[in-house]
Amino acid sequence: MTFLKRAAAALLATTALAAVSSPSLAQDFKGKSAGDILVRARALAVIPQESGDLIHQGTTNIGEPRINNDYIPELDFSYFFTDNIAVELIAGTSRHTVKGSILPGLGGSVDVGKVSLLPPTLTAQYHFFPKERVSPYVGAGVNYTLFYREDAANKANGIGLRIVDTDYENRFGWALQAGVDVALTGNWSLNLDVKKIFLKTDVTAQTNLGTTVRSDVKIDPWLVGLGIGYRF
């Protein structure tokens, strides 16, 4: 939540900066128009809000999953059907360390391994004030996440339990979005964008003891991006 508060502060600061721009700059920008193609490059924080149970041998709850944040470059493309309505497709991939927070008395945490996510997300957007320097927007759409490079940690915890193989199921999810474009000069703009992806996956892990740990994990990440855009 602290990171999201910082993102909101950055949005306010960006808007304030645009508001005090010099008169000469205020005349030198191009508003959003039907037929525009907008390409952005963003620095993106991927912040999972994970929840779920680790179920051992189909019956015993032994803990819950933990997934770390990642910070990546991201590229996105938008096409404007009208001055206000556009669709956006994002492209980027993140890699995460996954652990199990094991219940007391069961040997502490266990390293599950690492996994990479490729989450193409398509959203339909409504852009407010498309001819103004500061143009916020909202959007909603669909996500399909591909899991790959599923590397098991193969590292023993306090009681010698090791994860030797993992499998993550690819899944569809929903996406909500809000952001703002601030025109700089010509066709260039500054962008701040926040997405919430509602994503679940089924994880199956094999242990060195020949047993199975499964989890139906809600990942539900926030995607917070700051970047630069150019419209063609």
Side-chain angles (χ1 to χ4, degrees), residues 15 25 58 83 106 127 215-216 220:
T15 304
L25 278 179
D83 292 356
L106 297 179
H127 291 252
S215 183
D216 185 6
D220 293 351

Side-chain angles (χ1 to χ4, degrees), residues 22 96 209:
S22 69
H96 301 270
L209 305 177

Side-chain angles (χ1 to χ4, degrees), residues 2 8 19 26 46 60 63 80 82 93-94 146 157 178 181 201 216 221:
T2 299
V46 183
T60 306
F80 284 78
T82 72
T93 183
S94 61
L146 299 162
N157 73 344
D181 292 306
T201 184
D216 185 6

Side-chain angles (χ1 to χ4, degrees), residues 140-209:
V142 65
N143 159 272
Y144 185 72
T145 296
L146 299 162
F147 296 86
Y148 67 103
R149 292 178 61 197
E150 303 165 10
D151 299 329
N154 202 12
K155 180 180 178 182
N157 73 344
I159 59 172
L161 181 68
R162 290 184 286 115
I163 302 298
V164 298
D165 187 62
T166 57
D167 180 72
Y168 297 76
E169 184 175 336
N170 301 336
R171 284 285 187 90
F172 280 99
W174 300 107
L176 295 177
Q177 175 184 34
V180 62
D181 292 306
V182 179
L184 297 175
T185 183
N187 288 8
W188 292 96
S189 59
L190 182 66
N191 174 258
L192 177 65
D193 184 89
V194 179
K195 293 183 179 70
K196 178 67 171 180
I197 309 295
F198 298 92
L199 172 65
K200 294 198 303 184
T201 184
D202 292 324
V203 184
T204 302
Q206 303 295 330
T207 77
N208 60 312
L209 305 177

Side-chain angles (χ1 to χ4, degrees), residues 21-28 133:
S21 297
S22 69
S24 60
L25 278 179
Q27 303 302 319
D28 186 24
R133 177 175 290 277

Side-chain angles (χ1 to χ4, degrees), residues 3-4 42-50 67-74 90-97 115-119 121 143 145 147 193-197 199 219-226:
F3 190 94
L4 296 177
R42 296 187 183 117
L44 190 71
V46 183
I47 309 170
Q49 305 291 295
E50 72 278 11
I67 306 172
N68 77 322
N69 301 339
D70 195 18
Y71 303 91
I72 62 171
E74 177 255 18
I90 69 169
T93 183
S94 61
R95 188 158 177 80
H96 301 270
T97 297
V115 63
S116 294
L117 280 67
L118 179 65
T121 302
N143 159 272
T145 296
F147 296 86
D193 184 89
V194 179
K195 293 183 179 70
K196 178 67 171 180
I197 309 295
L199 172 65
I219 302 176
D220 293 351
W222 288 99
L223 309 183
V224 182
L226 179 65

Side-chain angles (χ1 to χ4, degrees), residues 13-108:
T14 301
T15 304
L17 178 63
V20 299
S21 297
S22 69
S24 60
L25 278 179
Q27 303 302 319
D28 186 24
F29 73 92
K30 178 179 179 290
K32 298 171 179 176
S33 299
D36 281 354
I37 297 175
L38 173 58
V39 180
R40 300 190 193 93
R42 296 187 183 117
L44 190 71
V46 183
I47 309 170
Q49 305 291 295
E50 72 278 11
S51 63
D53 296 321
L54 302 178
I55 306 300
H56 185 246
Q57 290 296 87
T59 58
T60 306
N61 181 5
I62 62 172
E64 55 189 12
R66 290 288 179 261
I67 306 172
N68 77 322
N69 301 339
D70 195 18
Y71 303 91
I72 62 171
E74 177 255 18
L75 194 64
D76 64 86
F77 305 87
S78 297
Y79 178 78
F80 284 78
F81 291 98
T82 72
D83 292 356
N84 299 92
I85 298 174
V87 293
E88 179 195 85
L89 178 66
I90 69 169
T93 183
S94 61
R95 188 158 177 80
H96 301 270
T97 297
V98 182
K99 294 186 176 182
S101 177
I102 305 300
L103 297 174
L106 297 179

